[in-house]
Amino acid sequence: MAALPPHLPAEAPIGMPRQRFSRAVPPSVAPGAAPGDMLPRRLLLMLATLMMGLAALAGVKPALAQDGIGPVDLILMGLFFPLFAWIAFGFVGSTIGFALLMTGRSPGYITAPERTTPAIGRTAVLMPVHNEDVAAVFARVQAMLRSIADAGGGATTDFFVLSDSGLAGGAEEERCWQHIAPCAPIPLYYRRRTQNIAAKPGNIAEWVGRFGGAYAYMVVLDADSLMSGRTIATLASAIEARPSVALIQTVPGVVAAATLFQRWMQFASRLYGPVSTAGMLWWFGAEGTFWGHNAIVRTAAFAESCGLPELLGPAPFGGHVLSHDMVEAALLRRRGWAVHMVMIGGSYEEYPPTMIDHAIRDRRWAQGNIQHIRLLGSAGFHWVSRLQLLVGASAYITSPLWLLLILTTLAAQFGAQGDAAVVGSTGGVLALTLLLLFGPKVMALAWACSDPVRRRGFGGGRSLARSTAAEMVLSILFAPAAMLTQTMDVIGILRGRRSRWVAQSRESDGIALEDALRRYRWHVAAGVLGLLLVPAAPIAAAWLAPVTLGLLASPWLAMWTARRDLGTRARAAGLFCVPPAPTEPYLRDAVAD
């Protein structure tokens, strides 16, 4: 048996000072060249969104004003405009992305680069783990080690497993490391923290402070991430060729989908994702964002810019910065560093297996994103960074606003304002709403069908059409449950209930009915109230029928979509087919269903 290598390399400390959000800092780098039309692009996006919102508001105002504009009407209009503008914002971005994809134009400043010259600077690949399925984690590690070596990156790339696991998990991780490390084609290091301070950002910061000085770049992963060696080498070459760029974020594809829920979400992300992502890249420019994984980062820039302080005050707005990634992107941009996103293959992640696991992860993101509201006034942030933080928080704030709009509409219905109570009662507004909601899906479908190879990857035109129709039905049923879940989460967060970093469930094979009913009991109760509206307010009940149906069906939807056998049957029936992702055999083996 080969001798065990050292757990860790020699330390190469680098300072990572705590940042102050209240004090601006001088730029560290002169901004690189960027498209000169970024401001017009962003103005076009904002003006188109504003015009659609105002047009919809003008469409509902006459109905609301039939008996005069009262306080309830003002509340309805105050809720309706930002919510409609929210979906208009997504539609405009998707429309731009669709146009770019169909014409073959690159949506981003940095195109999907082909590796030319190998990077000279050393790269560390970091995989933080916390009480994960150890065998699955190290299967992905082994696959990436081989892929990196095959891509020629062995001489300049080291791999680190950074554990925050407990004693039992740590012992198993140690055994796996001892088995793999002696024969690994590139250096594989392992470190377990005994004190899990500040969760993942604290884990990464500890590594940067101890070892970051030896590495020009770090590729940050999640425990369920998978990246090909060619992609890692390409990113290292791309960032080295652009001295003003501190971070390049990839858009990972979903792999290892087994349950029906995962296959459904995998299909949705693979079909709709490129259209919306292309739109984002078009207006992001050098003010891109960071998703915390599947990205390459300039280590010295990160150390200089991204030391996160502990925020004063109680949760949810105080304590450690939870959704650290978007804040780190804003801090890098504050120093003058460019942050870009690229649409490139070879970057993958897994998806939660059930609606419940998705909601648990979403709860953690909700608290972190709502915490960003406190940081909107931070000194020196670029206005696009502030907008991104606001949009991230709005993703959760809109759910209680939608519920409040529904309740206000019902209050108007029972307040003898029946003709004006249902927002969107005009045919024009209804048609525009349907266009904004389903237009991006139709555009994505058209894009997928426009190329024969892409169409075959989704199972062919007939399979693609059936899958898209099924996805739309499931999304309509899922949306009310997600709305109420997020509303309850936001209320809990504002009441001071903290979200803790717990191990994520990566696999499932069904949910018991009693568990689903316990989890969604309030959803069913709200659905029953919707049924009781039928005799008392039939017009309002008709408009709310999709919401009522989704709430009533939520336990059964969660239970059925959590099943692996239904996922297998869907694949056998040609439903939710997606183009194959990893091409290298050992990468495919690491994500085999």
Side-chain angles (χ1 to χ4, degrees):
M1 182 176 177
L4 282 176
H7 280 76
L8 291 167
E11 293 197 5
I14 185 173
M16 192 169 178
R18 297 279 180 94
Q19 302 300 303
R20 298 181 65 176
F21 294 112
S22 60
R23 178 180 299 175
V25 294
S28 302
V29 61
D37 61 347
M38 288 311 301
L39 182 58
R41 291 183 187 190
R42 292 161 178 170
L43 286 176
L44 174 63
L45 177 69
M46 302 302 171
L47 288 175
T49 300
L50 180 63
M51 289 175 63
M52 286 188 175
L54 291 175
L57 186 61
V60 300
K61 186 177 178 180
L64 294 172
Q66 286 180 1
D67 54 354
I69 299 293
V72 174
D73 300 315
L74 292 174
I75 294 173
L76 283 171
M77 288 190 289
L79 291 170
F80 177 78
F81 175 74
L83 290 172
F84 196 93
W86 168 258
I87 58 175
F89 184 82
F91 173 82
V92 174
S94 294
T95 302
I96 294 169
F98 172 69
L100 292 170
L101 293 177
M102 292 297 289
T103 57
R105 293 178 56 195
S106 172
Y109 173 50
I110 295 182
T111 58
E114 289 294 331
R115 183 189 175 197
T116 53
T117 305
I120 298 174
R122 295 191 61 78
T123 300
V125 181
L126 312 180
M127 177 178 277
V129 297
H130 178 240
N131 294 328
E132 299 283 345
D133 181 330
V134 177
V137 166
F138 278 89
R140 289 188 284 272
V141 170
Q142 278 189 292
M144 284 187 276
L145 294 174
R146 294 178 60 185
S147 183
I148 292 167
D150 286 356
T156 57
T157 308
D158 295 344
F159 202 110
F160 289 78
V161 176
L162 305 178
S163 174
D164 266 344
S165 301
L167 286 174
E172 189 176 356
E173 292 163 358
E174 174 79 20
R175 287 192 294 270
C176 283
W177 175 81
Q178 291 179 359
H179 176 71
I180 296 171
C183 304
I186 70 171
L188 172 63
Y189 298 111
Y190 172 78
R191 184 271 285 136
R192 187 179 78 86
R193 290 198 302 172
T194 56
Q195 290 185 307
N196 306 339
I197 300 171
K200 180 180 176 178
N203 197 351
I204 297 294
E206 193 266 358
W207 178 89
V208 170
R210 291 178 61 189
F211 306 101
Y215 299 92
Y217 319 109
M218 57 183 186
V219 174
V220 183
L221 305 176
D222 267 351
D224 62 351
S225 296
L226 190 73
M227 290 186 75
S228 74
R230 179 177 175 81
T231 297
I232 292 171
T234 298
L235 292 173
S237 178
I239 198 170
E240 189 165 84
R242 297 166 173 84
S244 64
V245 174
L247 190 149
I248 302 177
Q249 173 68 61
T250 70
V251 184
V254 176
V255 292
T259 67
L260 181 60
F261 182 75
Q262 287 174 316
R263 292 197 181 280
W264 160 27
M265 292 297 166
Q266 181 188 50
F267 172 81
S269 68
R270 296 290 293 278
L271 179 61
Y272 309 142
V275 170
S276 61
T277 301
M280 282 195 304
L281 266 63
W282 178 82
W283 71 270
F284 273 7
E287 287 75 40
T289 192
F290 181 32
W291 291 340
H293 59 93
N294 292 60
I296 191 166
V297 186
R298 194 178 297 273
T299 310
F302 186 87
E304 172 196 54
S305 309
C306 299
L308 296 176
E310 188 170 351
L311 302 177
L312 296 177
F317 298 107
H320 293 295
V321 177
L322 297 180
S323 292
H324 57 95
D325 35 24
M326 295 176 67
V327 177
E328 288 161 349
L331 289 169
L332 285 169
R333 197 69 191 101
R334 182 170 76 163
R335 286 275 186 180
W337 295 101
V339 176
H340 286 279
M341 296 181 69
V342 294
M343 298 174 69
I344 185 174
S347 177
Y348 314 104
E349 65 176 342
E350 295 182 11
Y351 203 86
T354 70
M355 281 174 54
I356 292 177
D357 294 307
H358 174 274
I360 292 171
R361 186 184 71 172
D362 209 44
R363 170 62 169 80
R364 203 166 53 244
W365 287 358
Q367 181 166 334
N369 284 21
I370 289 173
Q371 190 184 49
H372 291 167
I373 295 173
R374 175 177 178 177
L375 304 179
L376 291 176
S378 297
F381 277 11
H382 193 282
W383 72 268
V384 173
S385 298
R386 299 184 203 276
L387 178 61
Q388 290 165 347
L389 293 173
L390 179 61
V391 169
S394 299
Y396 297 95
I397 296 172
T398 52
S399 286
L401 291 181
W402 279 114
L403 183 59
L404 185 58
L405 177 64
I406 291 172
L407 295 177
T408 306
T409 301
L410 292 175
Q413 180 78 15
F414 286 105
Q417 301 179 36
D419 292 338
V422 180
V423 174
S425 57
T426 64
V429 174
L430 175 60
L432 183 57
T433 302
L434 293 176
L435 173 65
L436 298 188
L437 289 174
F438 295 103
K441 296 177 185 283
V442 175
M443 288 186 284
L445 180 62
W447 170 75
C449 290
S450 66
D451 180 82
V453 175
R454 190 183 303 122
R455 186 171 62 246
R456 285 194 298 271
F458 282 101
R462 182 175 299 179
S463 172
L464 189 53
R466 291 192 299 116
S467 299
T468 303
E471 192 281 329
M472 287 184 181
V473 172
L474 288 172
S475 294
I476 291 171
L477 292 173
F478 178 62
M483 175 192 68
L484 187 54
T485 298
Q486 289 183 348
T487 300
M488 294 166 62
D489 288 344
V490 169
I491 292 172
I493 289 166
L494 295 178
R495 293 180 60 192
R497 291 179 56 191
R498 299 182 60 185
S499 178
R500 301 189 181 278
W501 191 35
V502 297
Q504 297 185 45
S505 174
R506 311 274 185 200
E507 295 186 3
S508 176
D509 192 11
I511 298 172
L513 178 58
E514 56 269 27
D515 293 335
L517 286 172
R518 181 170 59 252
R519 175 79 186 190
Y520 292 100
R521 62 189 183 278
W522 296 112
H523 302 67
V524 174
V528 171
L529 290 177
L531 287 179
L532 296 177
L533 286 174
V534 174
I539 296 177
W543 276 99
L544 292 176
V547 176
T548 301
L549 180 60
L551 292 172
L552 290 172
S554 53
W556 289 271
L557 185 66
M559 184 175 62
W560 292 329
T561 57
R563 289 170 53 178
R564 295 173 67 95
D565 64 325
L566 291 183
T568 303
R569 291 182 193 177
R571 180 174 60 178
L575 200 63
F576 299 145
C577 296
V578 295
T583 56
E584 299 171 46
Y586 33 86
L587 292 183
R588 288 201 304 268
D589 293 343
V591 297
D593 297 342

